[in-house]
Amino acid sequence: MTGIESRLTAGYPTLIEDYQEAVATAQAAAAAYYTGSDSPLTDAEYDTLLDAISSAEMALIPPGDIIEHGLFDAVAAGVVVAGDVPHPTPMLSLEKVKTDEDIEKFLARLVAEGETEVLVQPKLDGLALRAVYRDGKLVQVVTRGDGRAGEDITDRITRAQVTVAGLPEYVESRYGVPSHSDFEVRGELLMSTDDFLTTNANRIASGKPGFANPRNATAGSARVETLNYEVEMSFVTYDHTITNPDDTDAFDFADELTGAAVVDARDPAAVLAAIEAFGAMRADYEFPTDGIVLKAATAAVRDELGTGSRAPKWAVAYKYEAQTGETVIRNIVVEVGRTGNLSFTAVYDPVSVDGSVISRASLHNTSLIAEKDIRIGSKAVVYKAGDIIPQVLSVTNDETTSPWVPPTEDADGYPYVQRGKFLTSTNPADSVGALIRYAASRDVLDIDGLGSEIADALVNEGLVGALDDLFRLDATTLTALPLGETSTGGIRRLGQKNAQKLVDGIEAAKRQPLNRIITALGIRLTGRTFGRRLAAHFGSFDALLAASRDDLLAVEGVGPERADVIHAGVQRNRDVIESLIALGVTSEVERDENAGAAVLAGMSVVVTGSTKGTKLEAYGRNEMNELIERHGGKASGSVSKNTSLLVAGDGAGSKLAKATDLGIETITPDEFAERLGL
Ligand code: IVH
């Protein structure tokens, strides 16, 4: 709830601003709804807000301050929707009825015209369309848009990945021969529960996040430019929406709408009972529906009552209240997805909503959790978005609970970092996305041009599922890599120049020393240090693959637990390692100098202080350690009596003091460089 409506009705001091804010909020919600995006408000919140705006305009707001917003009377609530194909006759809205009295008044209007029957139909919650057939072939599909003109989505609907039950490309007459009719049919494009579950599973398997509800899934799939998953939808028509119903060729588009009833218009109690009966079975209904449409059954009565500029006078819509349940949140479960983004799920005491028992709800991201102040122990109101997806509507908290704090690191000590709206794992063992970002980083494979955004795209497009896939990418594939949408709705791609840069970076990464390739595998409990120790100890991938758990125990710093984990990790990566070898990635330690002549052989070396302004300036700490090991030494982080040499740059502190105390040889970075012949 926005809170605006309560301040409005209470005559809050900043009334005008609240009113303006309320209108802006409602317009934003309407714009989201009519363009098929996620609305910031639930239907119930939107309706409450509109009621508050309406009463404020009637009682509180001076006439001069009333905004011409079109929320109540314009088609599509005044939202300007993309579209340039005019409709031959407008695609209208329906007048809303809210109370039993409203319904009785409507029925009285029908009865006054002599109507005896009223149709009680499900109000289907999808995307209103107009489909044009010529000579029995589907030639054009247009969205409702603003009611006067819509968007041509023929290509989107007829492409190979999309199947729409009930909207055939060619129609047959009732005798089973091809139809040659010209006609237009209007109806609702939507997803049945089965359509939605299948489509969402396909979409998730393709690496994209699932849709929140069937309505978003329908709008999203029908309008998106590229689809890399199969979509199933349905098209359902109403009773009067075929332009030439007399044409017997016009097959069976006009199939009875399931769930509909015909009721005596003179018996309001029977009509209300029919509405209630459908409400009780609504959750199990095959299509998403948010209410009921009441219509005069007789064509002559419809003609007599006529049609206004926005809606027909012979039909009204009634919306059901969203069903909710009350429960207590017991846990917030954190999981890592394929790109490394964390997902959060509220687990609550099982509660029955709309005829099914629910106990979990996705919480999307941490800002949603903070905004709603969802805590472990919160009393929560839950509902099913689009009648299917459980969501937390609101919570109340008491002093026995405290705000939920997102975790800052995982069990292995890898920090979670914020990327846009999401918290992301940096643990390469957790997900392909985290692995690729880690492998590309400066201290590992140092791949120029492979940032977070590209790593995500590679994973989402299914191009990279493991480390070796990186070395199979080619410039042509990468040039077309989609990186998101442009401001005009097109697709932004990586492009030739960046693709070539990335291919070059990957090619260069093949020649990184073995220790870095080992580190890039992202095996648990191996970081840069153990990458170096494993490379130095075994000398080649072949030897590492052949190493037993006991062999691993011989590596410096490897105890029983680490030996188990590394052994399992190496064996799990056997295929990847073998592919890397086959792809020509460094698989042996390259020693630059004559073996035996290694200057640092047998020495334990510690580096401290800054190397700025010295010959070793360009070396990071990890590169410095690599340098020591390449020359036969052992890099260490702390000074002890076993230390052989301390390299102390400017600003060296306690390590220098300790080395001096212990009488350990100490040299400057430049002296060290000289000793190594650099
Ligand atoms: S009859 C005036 N019957 O709701 C045109 N429409 O809010 C009414 N809708 O544009 C057509 N279920 O897209 C009709 N059983 C039903 C309906 C229905 C959903 C849609 C239709 C219309 C919109 C109005």
Side-chain angles (χ1 to χ4, degrees), residues 91-94 121-125 128 144 187-188 238-241 257 293 295 311-312 314:
M91 293 183 76
L92 297 172
S93 293
L94 288 168
Q121 296 183 340
K123 181 164 177 1
L124 301 171
D125 190 14
R144 176 173 167 213
E188 210 78 10
Y238 326 115
D239 53 316
H240 69 295
T241 46
L257 200 58
V293 181
K295 300 173 181 174
W314 46 263

